[in-house]
Amino acid sequence: MAALGLVSMRVCVGLMGRRSAVPLQSLCSSSGMTLSQIDEEVAKLLQLKAQLGGDEGKHVFVLKTAKGSRDYNPKQMAIREKVFNIIVGCFKRHGAETIDTPVFELKETLTGKYGEDSKLIYDLKDQGGELLSLRYDLTVPFARYLAMTKITNIKRYHIAKVYRRDNPAMTRGRYREFYQCDFDIAGQYDAMIPDAECLKIVYEILSELDLGDFRIKVNDRRILDGMFAVCGVPDEKFRTICSTVDKLDKMAWEDVKREMVIEKGLSEEVADRIGEYVSMQGGKDLAERLLQDPKLSQNKQACAGLTDMKLLFSYLELFQVTDKVVFDLSLARGLDYYTGVIYEAILSQTIQAPVSKPSEQNGVEEAGTSVGSVAGGGRYDGLVGMFDPKGRKVPCVGVSIGIERIFSIMEQKAEASSEKVRTTETQVLVASAQKNLLEDRLKLTSELWNAGIKAEVLYKKNPKLLRQLQHCEETGIPLVAILGEQELSDGVVKLRDVASREEASHFNKRFLNKGCVT
Amino acid sequence: MAALGLVSMRVCVGLMGRRSAVPLQSLCSSSGMTLSQIDEEVAKLLQLKAQLGGDEGKHVFVLKTAKGSRDYNPKQMAIREKVFNIIVGCFKRHGAETIDTPVFELKETLTGKYGEDSKLIYDLKDQGGELLSLRYDLTVPFARYLAMTKITNIKRYHIAKVYRRDNPAMTRGRYREFYQCDFDIAGQYDAMIPDAECLKIVYEILSELDLGDFRIKVNDRRILDGMFAVCGVPDEKFRTICSTVDKLDKMAWEDVKREMVIEKGLSEEVADRIGEYVSMQGGKDLAERLLQDPKLSQNKQACAGLTDMKLLFSYLELFQVTDKVVFDLSLARGLDYYTGVIYEAILSQTIQAPVSKPSEQNGVEEAGTSVGSVAGGGRYDGLVGMFDPKGRKVPCVGVSIGIERIFSIMEQKAEASSEKVRTTETQVLVASAQKNLLEDRLKLTSELWNAGIKAEVLYKKNPKLLRQLQHCEETGIPLVAILGEQELSDGVVKLRDVASREEASHFNKRFLNKGCVT
């Protein structure tokens, strides 16, 4: 506080120096200041700064994107489009609608939804008006949307970017701007049916993306809470112990135990009891066995969770996905808003993240989810009620696909494959071997466009034929339509297959007009 | 300044009061303050504010989206998807790639690019680190991308949201968050060929969207500048007079003239000379006539522009789009970065904007472009050079489709039409008339999904058949597969056409597996 007072004093004296005498004594006798006075003061200082004219000293403009963000180049976009098509195709196959929400929300809409992670929220500058923040995920805006529209039943997907002020240097492989790809089912339904569909969707998407073998871990918040209770964890420590358990996928049990005992103050005995449970994995059988567990069976929460887990597995059997789904008591997941089933999909065979290229200035190259995990979600029955003025609840269950991680794997696969990724869909290049045929090339190209054929023409009056053929090879255009004086007088077009260099017999232009080139 | 000094004094005294005695005299003797001291001071005041604990007084949470922003509901998204498909289809037909850039840029990337409109840029809060702003358009990020990647040739499209702190109440029909849909051709090419393709694209898109008759106005910055010069406008007033001329589509000439003379200080004579030119409209013939104009023909800039305009029209004739394109000397367009051809597309028949619904809390319902205008763009040969460390230029020409205006028109058309907009693509609902068939419904649904058929099932153990048929009618699902004890024992499925209520003969499940339902 000493420094604060000191600098403040200098400020005020400095400001006073800019104008004529002021009764210092009378001002100095007033004491204390309110928050709105601070606001006013800050605004005035900033205004003064603006009047003084920008930042001090010489400034060098740096040509880069913001820390933790990146551009997508055409090749990355082509891969992104392919991945999105598979995912959206699956969502549509399951009868989902889609919605979109603004990139920013009122700051208070996000307040109190993310626990400790709230510090990672990007706020907008107060430029007069509402206080806004960039969305941190798609789930809270979805809940806000449901409460605002009073919709009680919807199956929707939403693919959009979200924003987190993570330190990309510290948590390697994370971007500050990244895609989320969410599918959620809202509504009061019979138990575990929508939950099972979410898992079926994860199964379908990961299979179709062909990312290698995977597992989907399943657990339930109620089972975790019941387990903590019967192990002797005090109520107020449930959440913090939960987040320690969540580290079991990256840390050894010994280290997790140490954190529980030393940092979080559990007794060794309690920690060991937790250790026994969280080492358990299985399927429907495990749920049945735990329902007979002398301690767990006495806990109401745990029983409800285990009963639902049994039911869930019976539906998963009908969906034929149990070969990949594991009931795993160590799965915890960090977010506060989950109330029931939770799940996470992990690729068995972890593909190495690509080495950061020297040209990459931000020092990041990856994903929005932890390494290995490519999907996650769960049931959150209380979130919509937090927004509803009357606290009216809308039960929800959903899944988020870790699309950035998937992009990165697909990029590596494309890199490793000999097949070139095309960034355009052009079917034919209209070319010429002779000079002064620009007008004829433009005319034919236009006819092709009008016929719905994807066509290009070089923007040169007299391009060399070789240059035109090179363009086809570089961009993967399969066909080239070659115009010449002879062809023009005959009213035909010569068509060449770029790869085989075979020249097809002369096609009549009227044929092209009918789209017969494809 | 008196008030500023006064409050500052009170601040510093207030802060001092919180700690023990400080040698006031010695501090008061220092004078003046630097910008970095102001920064430091502001940070400390804000920290103090945080310590004092948030805002004063009771606060009521308001359930809404940020001012000027909106959610898209599933129906709006279905229309949006349809529009995007047409537009992206056209871009791909012309051989374009796509890129994506982050939603925020370094603040200084946007500085000095938008003239007066810079005040509308959203800044992010300084949370430590770089100063960021939300993108204001897609053109400046594109230029930054080109300079950063050193790409000199690209034909790309980019569809994404941009952000402008316009007052939605004042400029009715504008959102603060809205889509832009840009197509640009970068590279050193022979004159007017890419420019003509941009106009062809506008023509194709507006025709395919079926929005009624339209016109595309074309002009050239060099012709405007030449015209101002020969009319006697002082050099330093070119830009401001340009923005006055730009108002001719919304204001009568008399009012535009008054602004020129009274607000901008032109003589009546000069204004009248401008008035003569800006009333001219035509095609190639007008360009030819003006090349003979005794005054304009003496101006180098104007001659270059008019010669290119002639050439442009000859290409437009080849593309068969001259029926909608008008060379219009009153077209000015506001943005500073244009250097050559400029254009704007206007719908002839202005459809009324929809009346704001009472539920709409933000009081806005429309568009990102001025009423009537649905596309615009031009040539900007200097923008990339502003980012390149060596000032290396990359000539560019592009067009932005006013997609929000188009959405709004398509929504009205959908509203007016008797045809219902489907928000899902589900082909079949798996239903049952009898109880206890949930498992069989789930199993069949799963088989349909596995066969790539878009299928839904109600998440109820024993839903009523009527409820299931209602769901089909509400959401437009054309077929319902009805399971019963009899069908199950026969290993078949009854298929009903929802609209005609015709029941198809019993389909074998194996048929469905092969995807024959579609």
Side-chain angles (χ1 to χ4, degrees), chain B residues 185 191-200 312 341 343 379 397:
Chain B
I185 301 172
M192 294 297 114
I193 315 178
D195 312 60
E197 185 169 8
C198 288
L199 292 169
K200 169 76 171 157
L312 177 67
V341 168
Y343 32 81
R379 179 162 282 283
V397 63

Side-chain angles (χ1 to χ4, degrees), chain A residues 495-515:
Chain A
L495 210 55
R496 182 194 286 197
D497 182 306
V498 176
S500 69
R501 298 188 183 190
E502 254 181 277
E503 292 200 348
S505 52
H506 295 39
F507 278 74
N508 192 296
K509 272 210 260 179
R510 270 186 295 268
F511 263 35
L512 286 169
N513 272 343
K514 283 173 190 155

